[in-house]
Amino acid sequence: MIKKAIALVLTAVLLPSTIAFAGPPAPKASGIESKDYQWAKMEGELKAALDAKGTAKDGEEGYEICGACHLPSGAGRPDGTFPQLAGQHTTVLIKQMADIRMGLRDNPTMYPFAKELVDPQELANVAAYIEKLCIPTDHGQYEGADAAAQIAKGKDLYEKQCVECHGKNGEGKKEKFYPVIAGQHYKYLLRQMTEIRDGHRRNANPDMVKVIKPYTNEQLVAISAYQSSLKMPGAMCKPKAKK
C-alpha cells in the first residue's frame, strides 16, 4: 500500500491537475436529475463506511493518496482548484468519496484516487484522519477592493437562509451531512454553489437546491465572500510562532 501511494502521489505531482490517470471512466449513477433520486440514501458502500469505526492512525497512510492535491495538512489550494478538507466531518467526507466512487458526483480528476481506497473500512479510516486535522487559517478569501461590502452583504444573506444548516461559525451538522465551510476557499465555495444552483452538482441536497436556485451571481459572490471569512473556535490551527 505504501509503494502504491507513493507512486500515485508522484504521478499526481507531475501531471496537471486537470489530467486523470488512464483507465476506465467513472461509472455514471442517476443523480438529482432523476425523479427517483434520494439524497444520502443509506445503502451499499456509503452505509458500510458510515457503520465502520474509522481510526485516524490507520487512515494516515491512506491519506497519502489525497495529500498530493489537498496537501498533507488538508489545506487544499487557495485558488480553489482543490478544497480544504482538514476538520471536515467524517460523514461528509465518506459521502462525497462514496458518491464519486459510484459515479453520483462527477469528478474525473479525483475518481482515480478515490477508487484506490480499497474498502468501506479504509474510507472510514481516511475520513477519521482528515477530521482530526486542524483547519488552516490562511485559506483563499475574497480579495476585491469591495471586500468589506461583499462580506457584509453575504453575512445578511447567510444569516437569513444558510445559518440553520451550516451554523453560526460554519461548523455544519455532522449527523445531517451538512459540511464544515469554515476555512474553505472562496473560489471553491463560489464554484460549488454555482454548480448546485445550475444543476451541475448531481449529488446535491435538494433542500439546498431550492434555497440557492433564486440567487444571482452577485449574491453568490457575496455569500461565498462571507463564508470564506468564517472561523470555528477550537478547530482552527494555532497561529505560527513569530521568529
mmCIF file of all heavy atoms in Angstrom, residues 41-54 94 98 119-124:
data_model
loop_
_atom_site.group_PDB
_atom_site.id
_atom_site.type_symbol
_atom_site.label_atom_id
_atom_site.label_comp_id
_atom_site.label_asym_id
_atom_site.label_seq_id
_atom_site.Cartn_x
_atom_site.Cartn_y
_atom_site.Cartn_z
ATOM 1 N N LYS A 41 -28.884 8.414 0.593
ATOM 2 C CA LYS A 41 -29.584 7.142 0.773
ATOM 3 C C LYS A 41 -28.663 6.158 1.470
ATOM 4 O O LYS A 41 -27.563 5.869 0.994
ATOM 5 C CB LYS A 41 -30.023 6.601 -0.588
ATOM 6 C CG LYS A 41 -30.929 5.385 -0.507
ATOM 7 C CD LYS A 41 -31.401 4.979 -1.908
ATOM 8 C CE LYS A 41 -32.328 3.781 -1.841
ATOM 9 N NZ LYS A 41 -32.774 3.372 -3.203
ATOM 10 N N MET A 42 -29.107 5.618 2.599
ATOM 11 C CA MET A 42 -28.270 4.758 3.425
ATOM 12 C C MET A 42 -28.264 3.326 2.910
ATOM 13 O O MET A 42 -29.062 2.479 3.320
ATOM 14 C CB MET A 42 -28.756 4.782 4.878
ATOM 15 C CG MET A 42 -28.592 6.111 5.586
ATOM 16 S SD MET A 42 -26.870 6.620 5.741
ATOM 17 C CE MET A 42 -26.816 7.933 4.547
ATOM 18 N N GLU A 43 -27.360 3.049 1.974
ATOM 19 C CA GLU A 43 -27.230 1.702 1.442
ATOM 20 C C GLU A 43 -25.840 1.518 0.854
ATOM 21 O O GLU A 43 -25.084 2.472 0.686
ATOM 22 C CB GLU A 43 -28.296 1.433 0.366
ATOM 23 C CG GLU A 43 -28.165 2.310 -0.866
ATOM 24 C CD GLU A 43 -29.210 1.976 -1.923
ATOM 25 O OE1 GLU A 43 -30.195 1.304 -1.581
ATOM 26 O OE2 GLU A 43 -29.024 2.389 -3.081
ATOM 27 N N GLY A 44 -25.498 0.275 0.552
ATOM 28 C CA GLY A 44 -24.250 -0.040 -0.127
ATOM 29 C C GLY A 44 -23.002 0.418 0.607
ATOM 30 O O GLY A 44 -22.911 0.361 1.838
ATOM 31 N N GLU A 45 -22.032 0.884 -0.153
ATOM 32 C CA GLU A 45 -20.744 1.291 0.399
ATOM 33 C C GLU A 45 -20.879 2.456 1.360
ATOM 34 O O GLU A 45 -20.163 2.515 2.372
ATOM 35 C CB GLU A 45 -19.787 1.649 -0.731
ATOM 36 C CG GLU A 45 -18.377 1.978 -0.250
ATOM 37 C CD GLU A 45 -17.423 2.271 -1.382
ATOM 38 O OE1 GLU A 45 -17.605 3.306 -2.059
ATOM 39 O OE2 GLU A 45 -16.502 1.458 -1.592
ATOM 40 N N LEU A 46 -21.773 3.386 1.070
ATOM 41 C CA LEU A 46 -21.963 4.529 1.962
ATOM 42 C C LEU A 46 -22.366 4.059 3.356
ATOM 43 O O LEU A 46 -21.767 4.478 4.351
ATOM 44 C CB LEU A 46 -23.020 5.472 1.392
ATOM 45 C CG LEU A 46 -23.431 6.645 2.287
ATOM 46 C CD1 LEU A 46 -22.236 7.534 2.615
ATOM 47 C CD2 LEU A 46 -24.543 7.466 1.633
ATOM 48 N N LYS A 47 -23.355 3.204 3.432
ATOM 49 C CA LYS A 47 -23.813 2.710 4.727
ATOM 50 C C LYS A 47 -22.713 1.913 5.428
ATOM 51 O O LYS A 47 -22.487 2.058 6.632
ATOM 52 C CB LYS A 47 -25.062 1.845 4.573
ATOM 53 C CG LYS A 47 -25.654 1.373 5.904
ATOM 54 C CD LYS A 47 -26.913 0.559 5.707
ATOM 55 C CE LYS A 47 -27.571 0.242 7.053
ATOM 56 N NZ LYS A 47 -26.689 -0.462 7.993
ATOM 57 N N ALA A 48 -22.017 1.072 4.676
ATOM 58 C CA ALA A 48 -20.966 0.238 5.265
ATOM 59 C C ALA A 48 -19.841 1.093 5.849
ATOM 60 O O ALA A 48 -19.327 0.817 6.937
ATOM 61 C CB ALA A 48 -20.409 -0.721 4.219
ATOM 62 N N ALA A 49 -19.452 2.154 5.134
ATOM 63 C CA ALA A 49 -18.382 3.030 5.615
ATOM 64 C C ALA A 49 -18.829 3.847 6.818
ATOM 65 O O ALA A 49 -18.050 4.075 7.746
ATOM 66 C CB ALA A 49 -17.918 3.957 4.488
ATOM 67 N N LEU A 50 -20.083 4.281 6.811
ATOM 68 C CA LEU A 50 -20.600 5.042 7.953
ATOM 69 C C LEU A 50 -20.732 4.155 9.187
ATOM 70 O O LEU A 50 -20.556 4.620 10.317
ATOM 71 C CB LEU A 50 -21.947 5.668 7.606
ATOM 72 C CG LEU A 50 -21.918 6.810 6.584
ATOM 73 C CD1 LEU A 50 -23.327 7.161 6.160
ATOM 74 C CD2 LEU A 50 -21.204 8.029 7.142
ATOM 75 N N ASP A 51 -21.037 2.890 8.979
ATOM 76 C CA ASP A 51 -21.173 1.952 10.094
ATOM 77 C C ASP A 51 -19.824 1.519 10.651
ATOM 78 O O ASP A 51 -19.723 1.125 11.817
ATOM 79 C CB ASP A 51 -21.951 0.709 9.653
ATOM 80 C CG ASP A 51 -23.435 0.989 9.443
ATOM 81 O OD1 ASP A 51 -23.919 2.031 9.927
ATOM 82 O OD2 ASP A 51 -24.106 0.161 8.793
ATOM 83 N N ALA A 52 -18.791 1.581 9.823
ATOM 84 C CA ALA A 52 -17.453 1.170 10.266
ATOM 85 C C ALA A 52 -16.897 2.184 11.262
ATOM 86 O O ALA A 52 -17.176 3.388 11.163
ATOM 87 C CB ALA A 52 -16.519 1.058 9.063
ATOM 88 N N LYS A 53 -16.106 1.716 12.206
ATOM 89 C CA LYS A 53 -15.461 2.610 13.169
ATOM 90 C C LYS A 53 -14.088 2.986 12.619
ATOM 91 O O LYS A 53 -13.140 2.207 12.679
ATOM 92 C CB LYS A 53 -15.327 1.941 14.542
ATOM 93 C CG LYS A 53 -14.728 2.859 15.606
ATOM 94 C CD LYS A 53 -14.729 2.188 16.960
ATOM 95 C CE LYS A 53 -14.045 3.059 18.020
ATOM 96 N NZ LYS A 53 -14.666 4.393 18.124
ATOM 97 N N GLY A 54 -13.980 4.188 12.068
ATOM 98 C CA GLY A 54 -12.718 4.626 11.491
ATOM 99 C C GLY A 54 -11.724 5.054 12.543
ATOM 100 O O GLY A 54 -12.091 5.598 13.585
ATOM 101 N N ILE A 94 -17.032 10.819 3.863
ATOM 102 C CA ILE A 94 -17.397 9.484 3.402
ATOM 103 C C ILE A 94 -18.438 9.564 2.296
ATOM 104 O O ILE A 94 -18.339 8.881 1.271
ATOM 105 C CB ILE A 94 -17.909 8.628 4.576
ATOM 106 C CG1 ILE A 94 -16.742 8.259 5.505
ATOM 107 C CG2 ILE A 94 -18.608 7.359 4.072
ATOM 108 C CD1 ILE A 94 -17.176 7.617 6.809
ATOM 109 N N ALA A 98 -17.751 8.245 -1.430
ATOM 110 C CA ALA A 98 -18.601 7.157 -1.913
ATOM 111 C C ALA A 98 -19.362 7.588 -3.160
ATOM 112 O O ALA A 98 -19.503 6.808 -4.123
ATOM 113 C CB ALA A 98 -19.570 6.723 -0.816
ATOM 114 N N ASP A 119 -11.691 -0.374 0.498
ATOM 115 C CA ASP A 119 -12.974 -0.861 1.003
ATOM 116 C C ASP A 119 -13.605 0.178 1.932
ATOM 117 O O ASP A 119 -12.999 1.214 2.228
ATOM 118 C CB ASP A 119 -12.792 -2.202 1.738
ATOM 119 C CG ASP A 119 -11.771 -2.129 2.863
ATOM 120 O OD1 ASP A 119 -11.570 -1.038 3.436
ATOM 121 O OD2 ASP A 119 -11.182 -3.170 3.189
ATOM 122 N N PRO A 120 -14.838 -0.060 2.394
ATOM 123 C CA PRO A 120 -15.504 0.896 3.285
ATOM 124 C C PRO A 120 -14.718 1.213 4.552
ATOM 125 O O PRO A 120 -14.760 2.352 5.040
ATOM 126 C CB PRO A 120 -16.830 0.199 3.611
ATOM 127 C CG PRO A 120 -17.111 -0.642 2.422
ATOM 128 C CD PRO A 120 -15.764 -1.153 1.996
ATOM 129 N N GLN A 121 -13.979 0.231 5.079
ATOM 130 C CA GLN A 121 -13.195 0.485 6.283
ATOM 131 C C GLN A 121 -12.101 1.512 6.019
ATOM 132 O O GLN A 121 -11.852 2.394 6.844
ATOM 133 C CB GLN A 121 -12.563 -0.813 6.803
ATOM 134 C CG GLN A 121 -11.766 -0.649 8.101
ATOM 135 C CD GLN A 121 -12.622 -0.190 9.261
ATOM 136 O OE1 GLN A 121 -13.580 -0.873 9.622
ATOM 137 N NE2 GLN A 121 -12.313 0.952 9.850
ATOM 138 N N GLU A 122 -11.470 1.421 4.855
ATOM 139 C CA GLU A 122 -10.427 2.404 4.550
ATOM 140 C C GLU A 122 -11.031 3.788 4.324
ATOM 141 O O GLU A 122 -10.427 4.799 4.692
ATOM 142 C CB GLU A 122 -9.612 1.977 3.329
ATOM 143 C CG GLU A 122 -8.378 2.859 3.154
ATOM 144 C CD GLU A 122 -7.360 2.307 2.183
ATOM 145 O OE1 GLU A 122 -7.705 1.443 1.358
ATOM 146 O OE2 GLU A 122 -6.197 2.756 2.244
ATOM 147 N N LEU A 123 -12.209 3.856 3.732
ATOM 148 C CA LEU A 123 -12.896 5.144 3.615
ATOM 149 C C LEU A 123 -13.114 5.755 4.998
ATOM 150 O O LEU A 123 -12.873 6.944 5.208
ATOM 151 C CB LEU A 123 -14.250 4.963 2.930
ATOM 152 C CG LEU A 123 -14.289 4.721 1.421
ATOM 153 C CD1 LEU A 123 -15.727 4.505 0.969
ATOM 154 C CD2 LEU A 123 -13.672 5.864 0.660
ATOM 155 N N ALA A 124 -13.581 4.929 5.935
ATOM 156 C CA ALA A 124 -13.842 5.413 7.297
ATOM 157 C C ALA A 124 -12.551 5.852 7.975
ATOM 158 O O ALA A 124 -12.527 6.868 8.687
ATOM 159 C CB ALA A 124 -14.522 4.321 8.110
#
